[in-house]
């Protein structure tokens, strides 16, 4: 059996590993609509692969490269039994968190939860006084980013993955993340675009990331405010783990202490 995880893990039974991977690959193909191109006939496959377009029907816009990275990271933390739940901050239509819940099903994990953190009404207006890096980056008027909690829940249900292990955190991150009843985390995926959203997620949740846990940042390459928040947080807390590039925008690192 070949270890395809981001970092070496213990050996696994080949058949079980293959079946789990096949399921997650199939789920990713459905969530991205890679397997159903007829529903979005005008899509450039290369753009969809890189996460460069805004899908009309797909549950995720992050593209297959970042979906495959998420599969790799999920495989690593679940095979290595890293302690804690899974969370995404900024979920859009829920695709990445649906994949997380699918991974728990594939691993027959009965203990972890998937936390789905979002305002479910789009992005906030930038607070340039408190977060100067966000000045001029106003995404609050983009209606396509405002996806309701009911719609996200319905997307989970479409894949048979909506249950009490899917935990919704509805509201602005400043109001929800610090008080969320999350004990520990094995995987933290950030997709909040702005400096403020990225900083608030790291400030509230990174201390809960277990050793061996993985943090993924979706907007690091695409948006300078997000990138600045990551480096400011890492510098303040002397985080020296290597940043690994996923594609033109996504990055991840694994916490070793």
């Amino acid at each position: 059996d070949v270890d395809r995880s981001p970092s070496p893990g213990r050996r696994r039974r080949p058949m079980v590993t293959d079946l789990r991977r096949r399921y997650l690959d199939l789920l990713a193909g459905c969530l991205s609509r890679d397997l159903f191109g007829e529903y979005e006939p005008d899509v450039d496959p290369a753009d969809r692969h890189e996460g460069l377009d805004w899908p009309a029907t797909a549950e995720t816009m992050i593209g297959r490269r970042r979906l495959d990275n998420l599969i790799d990271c999920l495989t690593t933390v679940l095979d290595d039994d890293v302690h804690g739940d899974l969370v995404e901050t900024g979920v859009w239509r829920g695709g990445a968190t649906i994949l997380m819940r699918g991974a728990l099903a594939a691993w027959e994990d009965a203990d972890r939860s998937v936390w789905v953190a979002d305002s479910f009404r789009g992005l906030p207006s930038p607070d340039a006084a408190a977060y100067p890096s966000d000045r001029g980056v106003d995404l609050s008027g983009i209606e396509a980013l405002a996806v309701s909690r009911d719609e996200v829940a319905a997307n989970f249900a479409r894949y048979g993955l909506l249950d009490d292990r899917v935990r919704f955190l509805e509201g602005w991150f400043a109001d929800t993340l610090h008080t969320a009843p999350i004990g520990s985390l094995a995987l933290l995926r950030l997709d909040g675009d702005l400096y403020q959203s990225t900083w608030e997620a790291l400030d509230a949740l990174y201390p809960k990331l277990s050793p061996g846990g993985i943090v993924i940042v979706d907007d690091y390459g695409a948006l300078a405010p997000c990138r600045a928040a990551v480096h400011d947080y890492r510098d303040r807390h002397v985080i020296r783990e290597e940043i690994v590039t996923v594609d033109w925008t996504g990055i991840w690192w694994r916490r070793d202490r």
Side-chain angles (χ1 to χ4, degrees):
D1 138 51
V2 178
D3 186 356
R4 298 176 62 190
S5 60
S7 57
R10 60 173 179 263
R11 302 291 288 176
R12 299 179 287 280
R13 291 175 294 166
M15 184 177 295
V16 172
T17 297
D18 182 62
L19 289 174
R20 288 169 173 168
R21 188 81 190 200
R22 283 173 178 264
Y23 168 63
L24 293 184
D25 285 344
L26 178 62
L27 184 55
C30 295
L31 292 165
S32 64
R33 297 298 185 273
D34 278 359
L35 300 180
F36 303 99
E38 64 271 22
Y39 287 100
E40 298 186 9
D42 297 327
V43 169
D44 181 335
D47 285 348
R48 182 59 52 89
H49 184 73
E50 296 293 331
L52 290 169
D53 68 332
W54 286 46
T57 67
E59 286 86 10
T60 180
M61 66 168 73
I62 68 177
R64 278 307 297 261
R65 289 184 68 184
R66 272 168 279 156
L67 284 170
D68 288 345
N69 166 255
L70 179 55
I71 291 172
D72 288 341
C73 292
L74 288 165
T75 299
T76 294
V77 299
L78 293 174
D79 276 346
D80 289 355
D81 199 24
V82 177
H83 188 68
D85 294 336
L86 317 173
V87 63
E88 183 176 43
T89 59
V91 305
W92 198 48
R93 294 176 182 158
T97 47
I98 293 169
L99 189 61
M100 292 177 188
R101 183 64 188 90
L104 296 187
W107 266 255
E108 300 179 286
D109 188 302
D111 300 318
R112 303 176 200 262
S113 293
V114 173
W115 296 86
V116 185
D118 203 289
S119 70
F120 300 104
R121 51 195 173 104
L123 273 73
S125 298
D127 182 356
Y131 301 94
S133 293
D134 283 336
R135 182 173 288 109
V137 185
D138 190 350
L139 307 176
S140 62
I142 302 177
E143 293 184 5
L145 295 177
V147 180
S148 72
R149 172 174 171 167
D150 287 346
E151 183 176 342
V152 174
N155 289 337
F156 272 91
R158 176 181 295 120
Y159 293 94
L161 293 171
L162 181 65
D163 60 12
D164 60 4
R165 308 266 300 288
V166 178
R167 309 284 297 276
F168 289 91
L169 292 173
E170 183 172 4
W172 303 124
F173 295 162
D175 300 325
T176 62
L177 296 185
H178 275 286
T179 58
I182 299 172
S184 61
L185 290 168
L187 188 142
L188 165 61
R189 190 175 195 281
L190 310 181
D191 196 353
D193 296 16
L194 302 175
Y195 185 106
Q196 179 179 357
S197 301
T198 303
W199 179 272
E200 288 170 345
L202 286 169
D203 188 53
L205 300 177
Y206 193 81
K208 299 183 178 184
L209 189 68
S210 299
I214 292 174
V215 57
I216 304 168
V217 186
D218 189 85
D219 303 303
Y220 178 90
L223 292 166
C226 169
R227 186 164 57 253
V230 168
H231 285 287
D232 286 351
Y233 186 86
R234 283 170 57 94
D235 289 346
R236 176 173 294 188
H237 296 280
V238 197
I239 297 169
R240 294 291 179 256
E241 288 87 343
E242 179 187 3
I243 291 176
V244 182
T245 299
V246 178
D247 60 4
W248 64 280
T249 184
I251 57 103
W252 65 273
W253 74 85
R254 191 172 192 188
R255 186 172 192 176
D256 62 17
R257 59 184 175 87

